[in-house]
Every structure is written in C-alpha cells, then in structure tokens.
Amino acid sequence: QVQVVESGGGLVQTGGSLRLSCTASGLPDNNNHMGWFRQAPGKEREGVSCISWSGLRTYYADSVKGRFTISKDNAKNTLWLQMDNLKPEDTAMYYCAVPVTLSNSYCSGSSGPNYWGQGTQVTVSS
C-alpha cells in the first residue's frame, strides 16, 4: 500500500520561511519524479514545483521562482520544498504527489497511477 505523507506547514508572516517534507512509502521503486502542488480556496490546483527522479531536472511555477527550492533523497524517497520570502498569495493547502510528469513549462500528476498526500496547510499573514 502506497502512503504519501507531508509535513512542515504552518503559519508564518510575510517574508518568512517554511520547509515542507514529503515521504512516500510502498512504491515499487524509489526512482520517481515527484512534485508539490497547491490549492487555495476557490482556486484550481496548480503545480508549484516538480523534480525528476535524478534530480537533474526541475520545474518551478513562475510565481515561486527564486523563492522556492525543491530537493529529494531517492534513498529515503523523501521530497522537500524550501520556501523563502513567503507572500500572502502563497497561502494554500500544499500536496505532495508521486509520480508526476514534468517539462520545462508544467508539472502534473502522471497519466498513470499516481499518489497524493493528505496535504499540509501553509498560511502567510500580511
């Protein structure tokens, strides 16, 4: 049984930082593209950042470029999202997903079976 668990969300002030973590277990192998997505109330879910299984390719939404950094540890099947200089518009529920599809211009859940965590809330106060 695959389990995806996120942690690290919370309440911060504008300009603050948070580090989200995601651990996936039960996958047949650890070589998976993984990603972070978010959904704010009344808005569609969007891809925030994704990373290839090798770590050599990454995608960032324009709104977070230069502020967020994605990284992963294949041995531990763990994914992180370092979020700096947070803004009120970053407020959302953040979800981890595996596997994902990524390119230079987008990332999304894979067309085949994919797994999502329960989400971790990030709230940035102004």
Side-chain angles (χ1 to χ4, degrees):
Q1 181 179 358
V2 177
Q3 286 191 318
V4 179
V5 180
E6 307 100 333
S7 63
L11 172 64
V12 295
Q13 293 184 333
T14 297
S17 297
L18 285 172
R19 182 176 172 88
L20 305 184
S21 299
C22 168
T23 300
S25 60
L27 292 166
D29 64 70
N30 291 347
N31 298 327
N32 297 287
H33 302 340
M34 300 179 71
W36 291 98
F37 299 78
R38 68 186 180 187
Q39 187 166 22
K43 294 187 177 181
E44 293 186 356
R45 186 176 65 195
E46 65 170 335
V48 175
S49 181
C50 290
I51 187 168
S52 64
W53 69 269
S54 65
L56 296 180
R57 290 189 295 130
T58 57
Y59 163 85
Y60 293 95
D62 288 342
S63 58
V64 307
K65 282 181 180 176
R67 300 187 298 120
F68 291 9
T69 304
I70 192 170
S71 59
K72 69 191 300 281
D73 182 331
N74 283 347
K76 300 178 180 178
N77 226 15
T78 300
L79 180 72
W80 296 278
L81 185 68
Q82 177 66 40
M83 305 187 296
D84 298 317
N85 191 20
L86 282 160
K87 303 176 180 181
E89 51 263 44
D90 295 317
T91 295
M93 185 71 79
Y94 284 70
Y95 300 91
C96 173
V98 56
V100 300
T101 299
L102 76 154
S103 73
N104 290 336
S105 57
Y106 75 93
C107 67
S108 65
S110 68
S111 58
N114 52 81
Y115 306 93
W116 297 74
Q118 80 290 348
T120 185
Q121 178 67 39
V122 172
T123 303
V124 185
S125 63
S126 57

